[in-house]
Amino acid sequence: MKGPSAMDRATRLDALIVGAGFAGLYMLHKLRGMGFAARVVEAASGVGGTWYWNRYPGARCDVESMFYCYQFDDELSQEWEWTERYPAQPEILRYANHVADRFDLWPDIRLNTRVISAVYDETAAEWQVETDTGENFLSSHCIMATGCLSAANRPDFPGLDEFAGRVFHTGHWPHESVDFDGRRVGVVGTGSSAVQAIPEIAKEAARLTVFQRTASYVVPAKNRPLDPGEQADIKARYPEIRAAARKTFGGFAVPTGRESALSVSEEECRQVLERAWNHGGIGLLNSYIDFGIDEAANERAQAFVRDKIRETVEDPETAEKLLPRHTIGCKRLSLGDAYYATYNLPNVELVPLGEDGIGRIVADGLTAAGKDYRLDDLVLATGFDAMTGALARIDIRGRNGLALRKAWAAGPRMYLGLMTNGFPNLFTVTGPGSPSVLSNMMPTIEHHVEWIAACLGFLRDNGIREIEPGLAAQDAWVAHGNEVASRTLRYTCSSWYLGANVPGKPRVFMPYIGGMPSYMKKCAAVAAAGYEGFELTPA
Ligand code: NA7
């Protein structure tokens, strides 16, 4: 508990929301509409969350525009016009700002304000929230809308601080334009961010060297301008399309095959994959039901993409280095229209990292795989401390002063990805244990926001001062999540889903992989049964 001085002039709230991304914006709108005193606190100088920070060249969402948007307001759905099949970062940011304008959210958003700590006062049943500007809050409820991919993973490469050139992280890109013209640029990482950035940087840089730890599977996005007629048609059919999407595993409106890839001939499987490849998008892995659960089926998709790489990349040696060998879809599939072809450019070189990874960094370059590379700029496309990173960076303390970092030392433990035992009245939007990053984030966010809002309404109507998941329900949910994950191939490689990209992070499969329909059914049933599995303390 904080001393009286820190909290003396604290603002009293019903709900303090951390983060002004799509989760925080809708949470604020929803709670205000229910008459709650709510406020958003945001570290950035603008709204948009992930899309505020990820401004690297080529940054684009890999979910289609028409489905990467809010559903809660019909007028908003109809009035907003997207320009391309996949939205580029500036357009998504404009959309976030439009939403903040349209629903007059600005007066209740504190920008440039970072939450440092959130400490639960058991006597008063309220959260004491301290920020770096000195503006503090006392709030009955605290809602962490801090994002799944918001805490940058910045590896501790030896000598990084000695590098004399510019260092960028894709997830913390500068706001002013970055000119790579005539420069020798090194990119570390070949995940989704790098796959988008590399073709753009290659257009400017004198020399681009890509340092690859693990080769990625990249399928075409087939991005293109959106035809106005097509857009109008989708908008007219939004209710049915969205209802159908809600019945799918990830809440995506993509066609899903019903057969096993092994039930058809190799030739037929290739033809189906070829059609999916030409159509573009992450739907390729939905062509058959067993790419995600059967290694032999998965190998057919792997071989298909490896052949595409060999066809595209002219230099056989480079092509060979680019061939991924792991299970496809185990790590997040990347989308990109120009990625592999970029390696045909004379100014682009691929360097597979050996076991030792990036060696020493010096003032004018680095050593990797036993060779020295002279560099002017270094781009770290090294991803995020996913799902738990943003929460761990805030000093969150629950009952008896227990730190969340300590409670989760062996991995996150949440009931439904919404709340955690020992931390009453603290909610997370798309937390570990919810489908989150395995689903279409926008409807997933809306689902959580609406569940939390309904829960706060229930607590108010029933005079309940505290809600907290019981340990038994939480343990059962975590065990269920692990059990479902262990039956899939996603469990089998070193992905950020498992925390494997961050040294020292416990290996726990963090998102819930049981699919959106069963997850939403469970959340609804829990609420309908008076918040079954939660402990409720009356005022
Ligand atoms: P990702 O997908 O985590 O990619 C990070 C890349 O950086 C990946 O290739 C990593 O290799 C590599 N990496 C990470 N740490 C290191 C070190 N220490 N040395 C060398 N290489 C390293 O992050 P993105 O930003 O591309 O994408 C994140 C999500 O955003 C994406 O999944 C989409 O959902 C959107 P690794 O594969 O770990 O061997």
Side-chain angles (χ1 to χ4, degrees), residues 159-275:
L160 183 55
D161 292 343
E162 289 161 35
F163 186 64
R166 301 179 298 179
V167 180
F168 305 100
H169 190 287
T170 45
H172 279 282
W173 203 260
H175 284 215
E176 56 279 8
S177 87
V178 176
D179 189 3
F180 289 112
D181 208 18
R183 295 179 72 88
R184 297 164 301 180
V185 184
V187 172
V188 183
T190 50
S192 297
S193 302
V195 160
Q196 292 181 334
I198 284 166
E200 297 304 316
I201 297 174
K203 287 179 193 164
E204 285 184 13
R207 177 126 212 100
L208 171 61
T209 312
V210 178
F211 300 97
Q212 168 188 276
R213 184 162 75 178
T214 310
S216 287
Y217 289 101
V218 183
V219 303
K222 298 280 176 186
N223 189 37
R224 55 177 168 73
L226 260 184
D227 176 75
E230 177 189 8
Q231 179 149 200
D233 173 57
I234 294 174
K235 284 181 177 176
R237 292 186 300 112
Y238 255 153
E240 64 189 89
I241 294 174
R242 287 169 167 176
R246 270 195 287 279
K247 293 189 183 136
T248 67
F249 174 88
F252 293 106
V254 291
T256 302
R258 304 209 173 277
E259 285 179 305
S260 158
L262 301 173
S263 69
V264 297
S265 68
E266 234 170 277
E267 186 47 35
E268 186 181 334
C269 181
R270 275 189 174 261
Q271 283 167 7
V272 168
L273 289 172
E274 188 70 38
R275 276 199 295 276

Side-chain angles (χ1 to χ4, degrees), residues 114-406:
R114 180 176 291 279
V115 170
I116 301 167
S117 66
V119 177
Y120 191 61
D121 174 355
E122 290 184 62
T123 317
E126 63 190 1
W127 284 91
Q128 304 179 334
V129 180
E130 264 193 287
T131 75
D132 65 352
T133 64
E135 184 178 14
N136 298 327
F137 300 90
L138 286 171
S139 185
S140 310
H141 302 93
C142 198
I143 299 159
M144 294 293 169
T146 40
C148 296
L149 297 164
S150 47
N153 173 37
R154 198 182 154 95
D156 193 13
F157 294 129
L160 183 55
D161 292 343
E162 289 161 35
F163 186 64
R166 301 179 298 179
V167 180
F168 305 100
H169 190 287
T170 45
H172 279 282
W173 203 260
H175 284 215
E176 56 279 8
S177 87
V178 176
D179 189 3
F180 289 112
D181 208 18
R183 295 179 72 88
R184 297 164 301 180
V185 184
V187 172
V188 183
T190 50
S192 297
S193 302
V195 160
Q196 292 181 334
I198 284 166
E200 297 304 316
I201 297 174
K203 287 179 193 164
E204 285 184 13
R207 177 126 212 100
L208 171 61
T209 312
V210 178
F211 300 97
Q212 168 188 276
R213 184 162 75 178
T214 310
S216 287
Y217 289 101
V218 183
V219 303
K222 298 280 176 186
N223 189 37
R224 55 177 168 73
L226 260 184
D227 176 75
E230 177 189 8
Q231 179 149 200
D233 173 57
I234 294 174
K235 284 181 177 176
R237 292 186 300 112
Y238 255 153
E240 64 189 89
I241 294 174
R242 287 169 167 176
R246 270 195 287 279
K247 293 189 183 136
T248 67
F249 174 88
F252 293 106
V254 291
T256 302
R258 304 209 173 277
E259 285 179 305
S260 158
L262 301 173
S263 69
V264 297
S265 68
E266 234 170 277
E267 186 47 35
E268 186 181 334
C269 181
R270 275 189 174 261
Q271 283 167 7
V272 168
L273 289 172
E274 188 70 38
R275 276 199 295 276
W277 182 269
N278 292 329
H279 178 72
I282 45 177
L284 182 119
L285 289 183
N286 289 353
S287 303
Y288 291 98
I289 50 165
D290 48 0
F291 281 150
I293 49 174
D294 186 306
E295 191 61 46
N298 188 283
E299 275 167 20
R300 287 193 164 183
Q302 293 176 36
F304 175 82
V305 179
R306 285 197 284 264
D307 284 350
K308 289 289 181 192
I309 299 170
R310 291 189 188 99
E311 278 168 30
T312 311
V313 180
E314 288 156 10
D315 171 41
E317 258 182 55
T318 305
E320 200 58 29
K321 293 175 193 166
L322 281 166
L323 298 182
R325 299 289 173 190
H326 56 277
T327 303
I328 186 169
C330 183
K331 289 173 182 252
R332 180 76 143 72
L333 196 61
S334 298
L335 288 197
D337 288 319
Y339 178 67
Y340 293 125
T342 298
Y343 292 96
N344 294 332
L345 299 175
N347 61 330
V348 179
E349 182 184 3
L350 178 73
V351 178
L353 295 171
E355 292 241 312
D356 297 338
I358 296 286
R360 174 120 204 122
I361 299 184
V362 291
D364 63 347
L366 60 79
T367 312
K371 262 184 83 180
D372 294 337
Y373 296 87
R374 297 278 153 263
L375 301 171
D376 302 311
D377 296 319
L378 194 55
V379 174
L380 303 175
T382 44
F384 302 90
D385 181 351
M387 305 210 65
T388 54
L391 295 168
R393 288 175 194 191
I394 300 171
D395 186 11
I396 300 174
R397 287 173 192 266
R399 285 197 195 283
N400 304 315
L402 177 66
L404 186 71
R405 292 171 193 148
K406 198 165 170 201

Side-chain angles (χ1 to χ4, degrees), residues 372-500:
D372 294 337
Y373 296 87
R374 297 278 153 263
L375 301 171
D376 302 311
D377 296 319
L378 194 55
V379 174
L380 303 175
T382 44
F384 302 90
D385 181 351
M387 305 210 65
T388 54
L391 295 168
R393 288 175 194 191
I394 300 171
D395 186 11
I396 300 174
R397 287 173 192 266
R399 285 197 195 283
N400 304 315
L402 177 66
L404 186 71
R405 292 171 193 148
K406 198 165 170 201
W408 287 5
R413 299 188 75 78
M414 297 202 84
Y415 183 35
L416 303 172
L418 283 158
M419 296 194 84
T420 189
N421 177 265
F423 297 80
N425 297 355
L426 180 91
F427 298 83
T428 56
V429 182
T430 64
S434 74
S436 59
V437 291
L438 298 177
S439 61
N440 181 359
M441 287 303 282
M442 293 297 279
T444 288
I445 282 170
E446 284 182 296
H447 171 259
H448 265 194
V449 165
E450 286 163 13
W451 192 95
I452 293 167
C455 177
L456 294 201
F458 173 88
L459 302 180
R460 177 174 63 186
D461 295 349
N462 292 280
I464 292 162
R465 131 193 172 112
E466 280 181 332
I467 181 167
E468 175 184 359
L471 253 190
Q474 178 172 292
D475 286 349
W477 184 252
V478 171
H480 168 63
N482 288 336
E483 197 270 321
V484 182
S486 67
R487 283 188 260 134
T488 75
L489 296 176
R490 294 233 192 197
Y491 211 54
T492 58
C493 67
S494 303
S495 69
W496 57 255
Y497 298 125
L498 271 163

